Amino acid sequence: MVGVEATGSYHRPLAYALHRAGFPVYVLQPLSVASYARSLLRRAKTDRADARLIARFLSERVHELPAYEPSPDSLTLLSVLVRLEAGLASDRVALLNRLHAWAYVLPSLSDLEGIPDRIQGIAREVRSRALEVVRSDPLLSGWFSALLSLPGVGEAIALRVLAYSGDMRRFSSARAYAAFTGLTPRLHQSGQSPERGRISRVGPPALRGAFYMAALSAYRFHPDRRAFVEALLARGKPKRLALVALANRLARAAWSVCVRAEVGGLDNLAG
């Protein structure tokens, strides 16, 4: 039995390899491990101490934790490609900023100005490869088409939702999926007065960002979604909160349309 703390890109290939080698693997939320460490009043923080902490946490909580199950290979490949494209876009912007900052001091750097365009070209190649993966897989193709039917969701957002959601079939309901995205509010209760706090933010930030961008687009270009936001504004809600509420709705709709697409695909195969 192996416990691996989620650490961005680094834990994924390790968890995948360990699972394929036959080990039961548990991917742990860093926030949960950090809260557990505070409960122990831990003073030392070293790699060795962290490893012991994770082992102790896993031994005490293993019965509450879901075992790691890798996504289908096509979905894993899509996830890597989408993350690679995002990394290239980030690197391009960082390079543009550095070149601009030094342009007036070191004019000789002007011969490097074509590099950001080449990075953008590589990013387009990666996007093209990701779309090939989607089109070649019946399940992903169905989910992708279903997501594109939602207001505010275009090609880039649909790819990001697929890449960061993983296998949609592992969620039991739209509510469970929305909770995974971190777009659901925390419930705080004191005495007889329950109050909803800020969203939990427990899921992938890139996934929340994708649904928030979809909500912005839907608010601008879809009258019914605009009406939903304006109704919340009329009740005194801040605009950002109203848009987050719309993003939550879109997340629930995303799960629902993907489930319906899968059922429809199975019915077609059976026919």
Side-chain angles (χ1 to χ4, degrees):
M1 182 171 61
V2 181
V4 180
E5 190 174 18
T7 54
S9 300
Y10 295 101
H11 80 275
R12 291 187 180 90
L14 176 60
Y16 186 80
L18 287 170
H19 182 274
R20 295 197 68 171
F23 291 95
V25 179
Y26 295 84
V27 177
L28 311 177
Q29 284 281 354
L31 182 60
S32 299
V33 177
S35 298
Y36 179 71
R38 286 195 296 271
S39 73
L40 298 177
L41 302 178
R42 194 174 67 131
R43 292 176 292 176
K45 178 165 175 46
T46 64
D47 290 343
R48 185 183 294 273
D50 285 347
R52 288 173 175 159
L53 175 72
I54 290 173
R56 180 174 175 180
F57 176 86
L58 183 59
S59 66
E60 293 181 8
R61 307 286 179 86
V62 65
H63 60 284
E64 305 171 2
L65 301 172
Y68 166 78
E69 287 291 339
S71 300
D73 288 347
S74 57
L75 191 51
T76 299
L77 176 57
L78 177 65
S79 175
V80 172
L81 290 170
V82 170
R83 285 174 167 83
L84 178 57
E85 183 193 3
L88 288 168
S90 177
D91 291 344
R92 177 179 177 273
V93 171
L95 181 56
L96 280 170
N97 290 338
R98 289 189 179 95
L99 290 175
H100 182 266
W102 286 97
Y104 301 102
V105 182
L106 298 173
S108 60
L109 290 176
S110 61
D111 59 339
L112 300 179
E113 290 178 353
I115 295 179
D117 291 336
R118 295 203 291 274
I119 294 176
Q120 190 172 26
I122 297 172
R124 282 196 293 266
E125 291 179 19
V126 174
R127 167 76 66 85
S128 178
R129 176 73 182 280
L131 289 171
E132 288 177 9
V133 172
V134 168
R135 295 187 185 110
S136 64
D137 186 279
L139 180 63
L140 293 184
S141 179
W143 286 352
F144 186 70
S145 298
L147 290 172
L148 290 178
S149 70
L150 296 176
V153 176
E155 184 181 272
I157 289 179
L159 287 174
R160 189 177 298 184
V161 168
L162 290 177
Y164 287 92
S165 298
D167 195 334
M168 288 283 198
R169 296 169 297 185
R170 75 184 195 274
F171 300 103
S172 59
S173 66
R175 184 177 181 179
Y177 175 69
F180 167 77
T181 68
L183 288 167
T184 53
R186 292 182 182 274
L187 182 64
H188 296 270
Q189 186 172 14
S190 177
Q192 300 299 317
S193 302
E195 294 184 1
R196 290 185 179 273
R198 296 181 177 181
I199 58 173
S200 66
R201 298 179 184 271
V202 297
L207 184 58
R208 284 194 301 279
F211 282 118
Y212 188 79
M213 293 303 296
L216 281 174
S217 179
Y219 169 69
R220 291 170 182 162
F221 302 111
H222 294 265
D224 55 337
R225 298 317 193 273
R226 174 179 285 273
F228 171 77
V229 172
E230 290 180 346
L232 291 176
L233 297 179
R235 290 162 51 190
K237 303 298 184 183
K239 187 171 183 179
R240 184 175 178 84
L241 186 150
L243 288 170
V244 169
L246 178 55
N248 185 324
R249 281 201 165 194
L250 289 174
R252 293 178 180 231
W255 181 86
S256 297
V257 296
C258 286
V259 169
R260 286 200 297 269
E262 183 191 1
V263 171
L266 291 174
D267 289 343
N268 291 335
L269 288 175

